[in-house]
Amino acid sequence: MTSPRHLSLFITLGLFWGVSPSLYRHWGVLGMPVSHVIVLTGIGVAAALALICQLRGIDWIGGKSLQFFGLGCAVLMNVPFALGLFFARHVPPTELALIISTAPIVNYLVALATRRENAAPRRLLAILLGFLSTAILVITRQGMLSGQVSWWLIAAFSLPILYSAYNWFAAIWWPHGCHPIAAGVAESTWSGLLALPFLLLLAPPWSPDQLPLTAYWTVLLACGMWTLERIAFFTLIQEKGAVFTVQAVYLSTPAAVVIALAFYGGADIWLFVSLAVLMGALYLNNTGSAARPASA
């Protein structure tokens, strides 16, 4: 039974996920270094969440188990996060949104492989529809029918696989008794720290070709947005499980496509066909009952 509280967190998560592909594209157009985005958002979100913990009397430092969890989450999140920021410079945000939205299908495959879910006919059909949606998207892209493969588009399909590994880790290794906001502090802090050496080595702030500070206002906006997103994500992961949480793509997928079209255009009929098939796949994946429910 989904409570109004869980529903509001679910909506927050879905809408904020929907904005992300267009933000990625915006930073790519500006030429903002990937390491800058990860470090600044990681430290910014960690600071905001730590402040909330301090005001509410929540232990946000924790022990070794919390820090191990935060480090593991940071590693597993930073890789697809960095790749997503990089792919957004070569793949239209509408297409990137559809690719990332196949994560629930991949997440179910991982749950099957790790025996946390049993096979259900409707969800197996969802897998087939997910592959069909992917095939429609890949085959109909500009140049594909003439034999020119979009390798950037193909490479972007690594993202849902990598995010699935992240969701699996977050659900399995949740520290006993850990508050969701404290988990967000640990993950975000490690995320920024892990990317810091890359920033200093590849794009130090004192380099003459760096962007002016005024170009970073959307990063500040993202810090506020992702602070709320981390609270929603970890709360749902802890209380409802990974399979339920990733269903926020029901909202994020159409929202991401609409937002990307509004800012960047680039729609064609096959994009909407792929979106329709994917939404059908997500519906089947969400409504197919498994013999063993997933839980964090």
Side-chain angles (χ1 to χ4, degrees):
M1 184 72 177
T2 301
S3 67
R5 172 172 164 270
H6 288 138
L7 181 61
S8 64
L9 292 173
F10 186 86
I11 293 173
T12 297
L13 195 62
L15 292 179
F16 285 166
W17 280 357
V19 175
S20 294
S22 291
L23 269 179
Y24 291 3
R25 182 69 169 185
H26 169 72
W27 292 326
V29 170
L30 286 179
M32 188 175 295
V34 169
S35 58
H36 284 210
V37 175
I38 298 176
V39 171
L40 293 176
T41 56
I43 299 303
V45 170
L49 292 176
L51 178 60
I52 294 173
C53 286
Q54 197 69 31
L55 293 174
R56 295 178 56 182
I58 300 170
D59 177 17
W60 54 273
I61 298 177
K64 292 182 179 179
S65 62
L66 174 59
Q67 295 308 316
F68 167 79
F69 176 78
L71 177 60
C73 283
V75 171
L76 292 172
M77 182 184 70
N78 273 12
V79 174
F81 186 19
L83 288 175
L85 290 167
F86 186 68
F87 290 149
R89 305 178 186 212
H90 305 277
V91 177
T94 50
E95 297 168 22
L96 190 64
L98 289 179
I99 291 170
I100 295 175
S101 296
T102 61
I105 311 298
V106 177
N107 199 72
Y108 178 56
L109 284 171
V110 172
L112 282 177
T114 56
R115 298 183 180 275
R116 300 187 70 242
E117 292 273 2
N118 289 338
R122 288 170 64 90
R123 300 183 77 178
L124 293 176
L125 178 58
I127 294 174
L128 294 178
L129 286 179
F131 281 120
L132 176 61
S133 171
T134 296
I136 293 171
L137 182 66
V138 171
I139 293 173
T140 60
R141 293 306 88 196
Q142 184 177 4
M144 289 293 285
L145 296 177
S146 62
Q148 298 176 355
V149 179
S150 174
W151 293 112
W152 288 114
L153 186 68
I154 299 297
F157 280 96
S158 64
L159 296 179
I161 298 173
L162 293 169
Y163 275 121
S164 180
Y166 165 74
N167 289 327
W168 176 84
F169 179 88
I172 293 294
W173 293 96
W174 187 271
H176 178 70
C178 175
H179 195 282
I181 304 181
V185 175
E187 179 202 61
S188 299
T189 300
W190 281 110
S191 175
L193 292 177
L194 287 173
L196 185 59
F198 295 94
L199 183 153
L200 296 176
L201 179 64
L202 301 176
W206 53 83
S207 298
D209 57 345
Q210 293 304 310
L211 296 172
L213 289 178
T214 52
Y216 285 81
W217 71 270
T218 50
V219 176
L220 183 62
L221 174 66
C223 287
M225 183 179 73
W226 288 341
T227 295
L228 298 177
E229 184 268 343
R230 288 291 83 187
I231 293 173
F233 176 80
F234 280 118
T235 300
L236 291 176
I237 279 286
Q238 182 192 33
E239 299 179 6
K240 300 292 288 184
V243 173
F244 173 87
T245 302
V246 294
Q247 298 307 318
V249 294
Y250 272 125
L251 291 175
S252 68
T253 301
V257 170
V258 170
I259 293 170
L261 287 176
F263 284 97
Y264 299 104
D268 59 43
I269 185 61
W270 290 111
L271 180 76
F272 290 105
V273 171
S274 179
L275 173 61
V277 174
L278 178 58
M279 294 302 289
L282 293 174
Y283 171 76
L284 290 174
N285 186 63
N286 191 44
T287 56
S289 59
R292 186 184 310 162
S295 60

